[in-house]
Amino acid sequence: MSDLARRHLLGAGAAFLGALDASLAQAQQPSPRRGGALVYAQMSGNRRGGDASNSRHPYYMVDLITRSAYNTLAWVDEELKLQLELATRIAPADDTLKVWEVTIREGVRFHDGRMMTAGDVAASFELHRRRNFASAQIQRTEVVNPTTIRFHLDAGNSEFPFVLAEYDCVVMPANPDFERIGMEGIGTGPFRITSNDPQRRMTFERFEDYWRQGFPYLDRLEVVNREGQTEAALAGYRARQFDAMLNIDPRLIRQMEREPQTDLVAAASGDQAVIILPKHPGSAFNDARIRRALSAAIDREGLVRIVYGGTRWGWVGNDSHLAAADPMFVAPERPRDLALARRLLAEAGHPNGITLPTLYYAPQWPEMARYFQFIQESVREAGITLPIEERPNDGYQRFRMGELDVSRGNWHKFAYTAVGPRNPGISLFRMRPANNESGYWSGPAADRYMALYARAMLTAEAAARRAIYAEMQAILREEAPAILPAGRNNVLIKRNTVHNLRNHPQHWSIRWDDVYRSA
């Protein structure tokens, strides 16, 4: 038998055994049961945590997993594909893609018993469009009838339905007092809020009139904030105070794999770090060669291996905001090129290396110190000295943004920020020139990038958009207006008696509807 035939048989046998194991696991899965409670600890930072006046509002909930109590018109599932939620139809009204028509699901009740209408949707989005980055493109809403609403945009957007799935674009009851919309914490979701201790704890109970009949299974859900408290959260889990821990420190993975009666659940991808390269007058990062040299010098594969323990738990970035799980993501062919980094530095007038300004970061994720220490050591091999400094989470965003100086443009620090995975329409727009995340990038390449973006937004066919997005990512790899070295696959741990708790690349999009307990 030839080696090729032998490998074919071995591969077929392995596939058969894998399918058999999956079938057996599915057969052993207990039937969903109603009842019980689930308490989880959330580990990720929330820079918008609320106070006693607003912490039930979806913008300020303790962990921003709004689908515990609220719904949006659509939902991005675990594979980053769009699913309808409170809408039964979302479609452009014409070929300009500037007007989108949405049919609202009938028979949906708010937690106070009132029926949801298109008027509630319009009121909610009047709030969102004034407050949210993604919704600012909405110029106005038009209520056509009680179950139909139109969104009028400032420009065509082929991917507008994804905007309607943003975690904070939830539907809330209309209120004559615009500023009070959402403050009572009333939504249409599977659970209704029963109590909250701002930034610490929130409890929910099953909403019996939930529009998805038969759901949720749990009677009660509770979230406890353990941001930055890894050891305390782990002690609570082992003491059975918590049934799950969300967004754990990657250092825990190896020991938790040996924890009895515990499952580790990884999402397909997750958040990533953005290194902002400010381009104010006098900045070294005005020179694209220095930006590219820094990008090429980072050992991204080593970063994933050392900080995240391998590709099951982390992924190599390509200096765009797209996550590796996105079907539009183009992986870098050469994640590291020390020879290129040294050559670019020499061309920029630094043949003996360069000392960069201080890079600031905050421990928003537990592994951030290790992340940037590894980057610091890896770029040293190319002759780049990179001072780093940790700043506290409290007040970090204000510190990072710096001050506005009209004479020099927007001033901001050489610093890190965190971003989560979105669809390409949102993700690639974040590198627009007039934005701090691109360091206020400008020039012919930036102009070409935005021209491609405008074309993609007017291109209805996904396959045609894919080619445009690939060209945009190539520009970012060549120009490196900002650096996104590697991302984390969101990881949660749970007891093996908790079923259907699926992890999500967008931590905030986890659904609780069909989670249940077998004991």
Side-chain angles (χ1 to χ4, degrees):
M1 180 183 295
S2 69
D3 287 343
L4 181 62
R6 185 177 294 108
R7 288 197 299 270
H8 177 75
L9 286 174
L10 288 173
F16 172 77
L17 290 174
L20 180 61
D21 287 343
S23 298
L24 288 173
Q26 187 173 5
Q28 293 168 359
Q29 179 96 341
S31 299
R33 60 184 288 270
R34 285 175 67 90
L38 185 144
V39 183
Y40 69 95
Q42 78 89 20
M43 310 294 292
S44 58
N46 173 13
R47 290 172 295 182
R48 298 201 308 185
D51 55 31
S53 69
N54 63 9
S55 57
R56 293 173 180 245
H57 195 286
Y59 294 1
Y60 308 104
M61 289 173 65
V62 68
D63 63 353
L64 298 182
I65 301 181
T66 54
R67 280 171 177 78
S68 51
Y70 297 93
N71 295 118
T72 51
L73 293 172
W75 175 57
V76 176
D77 67 17
E78 294 86 1
E79 297 179 354
L80 298 180
K81 296 177 181 176
L82 195 78
Q83 308 289 343
L84 297 180
E85 199 166 75
L86 292 181
T88 59
R89 176 181 171 272
I90 303 174
D94 56 39
D95 292 340
T96 68
L97 304 180
K98 286 185 64 173
V99 181
W100 287 78
E101 189 167 278
V102 177
T103 302
I104 308 301
R105 189 178 299 277
E106 297 185 60
V108 175
R109 290 188 181 274
F110 287 110
H111 296 154
D112 62 0
R114 191 162 61 81
M115 284 289 186
M116 180 194 73
T117 70
D120 297 304
V121 177
S124 298
F125 275 90
E126 183 59 27
L127 177 73
H128 299 324
R129 77 179 191 87
R130 298 187 192 187
R131 303 276 180 86
N132 295 340
F133 154 72
S135 302
Q137 64 194 273
I138 300 171
Q139 298 298 289
R140 65 183 178 92
T141 57
E142 173 192 357
V143 176
V144 179
N145 57 52
T147 61
T148 307
I149 185 170
R150 286 185 183 143
F151 293 90
H152 296 260
L153 313 183
D154 58 2
N157 184 347
S158 57
E159 298 198 6
F160 178 68
F162 283 90
V163 174
L164 303 179
E166 280 290 292
Y167 72 94
D168 48 7
C169 288
V170 304
V171 176
M172 302 163 284
N175 192 316
D177 183 353
F178 175 80
E179 297 298 330
R180 295 296 305 170
I181 292 176
M183 291 300 186
E184 286 73 24
I186 295 172
T188 62
F191 297 91
R192 65 180 189 88
I193 301 169
T194 54
S195 68
N196 66 306
D197 182 0
Q199 300 193 47
R200 294 183 179 89
R201 183 184 301 261
M202 184 172 275
T203 61
F204 310 81
E205 69 178 15
R206 178 199 290 129
F207 178 42
E208 296 293 349
D209 289 328
Y210 184 43
W211 58 272
R212 293 189 70 201
Q213 293 186 4
F215 297 99
Y217 293 129
L218 295 170
D219 288 334
R220 188 170 175 272
L221 184 67
E222 181 175 348
V223 54
V224 180
N225 186 22
R226 285 292 180 265
E227 174 188 345
Q229 303 174 43
T230 298
E231 297 304 323
L234 182 58
Y237 179 82
R238 286 174 168 160
R240 296 193 170 270
Q241 296 172 355
F242 306 132
D243 304 298
M245 294 167 55
L246 274 57
N247 274 351
I248 65 171
D249 186 336
R251 287 183 302 180
L252 295 179
I253 289 173
R254 187 163 295 177
Q255 63 174 298
M256 297 311 294
E257 286 177 322
R258 301 189 294 269
E259 188 79 10
Q261 299 178 323
T262 294
D263 299 325
L264 273 73
V265 185
S269 62
D271 300 336
Q272 60 179 322
V274 182
I275 300 175
I276 301 170
L277 308 180
K279 301 167 190 62
H280 54 77
S283 169
F285 301 120
N286 281 321
D287 192 326
R289 294 168 297 186
I290 292 176
R291 303 196 303 262
R292 290 177 60 204
L294 177 59
S295 177
I298 297 172
D299 182 1
R300 299 168 192 243
E301 292 172 329
L303 184 64
V304 170
R305 185 176 64 255
I306 299 301
V307 176
Y308 292 112
T311 55
R312 183 182 176 191
W313 313 109
W315 48 278
V316 170
N318 70 354
D319 289 346
S320 83
H321 285 67
L322 289 181
D326 193 296
M328 302 289 186
F329 178 86
V330 179
E333 292 181 10
R334 300 190 68 179
R336 191 188 199 201
D337 192 332
L338 285 173
L340 174 63
R342 295 188 186 104
R343 178 171 62 79
L344 288 168
L345 287 177
E347 290 177 3
H350 303 279
N352 299 317
I354 187 173
T355 297
L356 294 175
T358 298
L359 169 63
Y360 298 97
Y361 70 93
Q364 185 173 352
W365 305 327
E367 72 272 19
M368 282 295 95
R370 304 190 300 279
Y371 189 102
F372 286 108
Q373 287 164 8
F374 183 91
I375 288 176
Q376 182 183 54
E377 290 304 313
S378 71
V379 301
R380 197 187 306 275
E381 296 179 56
I384 298 173
T385 300
L386 179 62
I388 58 174
E389 182 179 324
E390 181 177 305
R391 302 283 298 191
N393 281 324
D394 188 24
Y396 175 72
Q397 187 170 11
R398 183 185 294 271
F399 166 82
R400 173 177 65 80
M401 293 298 291
E403 61 193 39
L404 183 66
D405 185 334
V406 176
S407 66
R408 296 193 298 179
N410 283 287
W411 179 271
H412 47 280
K413 303 291 193 300
F414 175 31
Y416 138 90
T417 189
V419 293
R422 262 58 175 208
N423 67 294
I426 294 176
S427 292
L428 294 174
F429 187 62
R430 298 182 79 144
M431 209 68 88
R432 64 193 182 277
N435 190 35
N436 74 292
E437 287 180 16
S438 75
Y440 290 83
W441 178 38
S442 62
D447 295 340
R448 190 165 72 253
Y449 180 87
M450 291 309 297
L452 287 167
Y453 181 83
R455 193 201 314 168
M457 291 301 95
L458 297 176
T459 302
E461 299 79 15
R465 288 203 305 277
R466 180 188 297 273
I468 299 171
Y469 291 148
E471 189 173 350
M472 293 174 70
Q473 290 169 77
I475 292 173
L476 295 180
R477 288 195 300 276
E478 182 68 20
E479 279 276 308
I483 297 176
L484 293 91
R488 65 198 323 255
N489 290 348
N490 295 335
V491 181
L492 66 81
I493 65 170
K494 68 176 184 65
R495 306 209 180 279
N496 60 6
T497 55
V498 175
H499 305 279
N500 287 348
L501 178 50
R502 302 179 184 90
N503 213 339
H504 202 295
Q506 299 175 340
H507 166 75
W508 55 85
S509 291
I510 291 175
R511 260 184 168 179
W512 303 97
D513 299 36
D514 57 350
V515 175
Y516 68 96
R517 307 202 59 156
S518 58

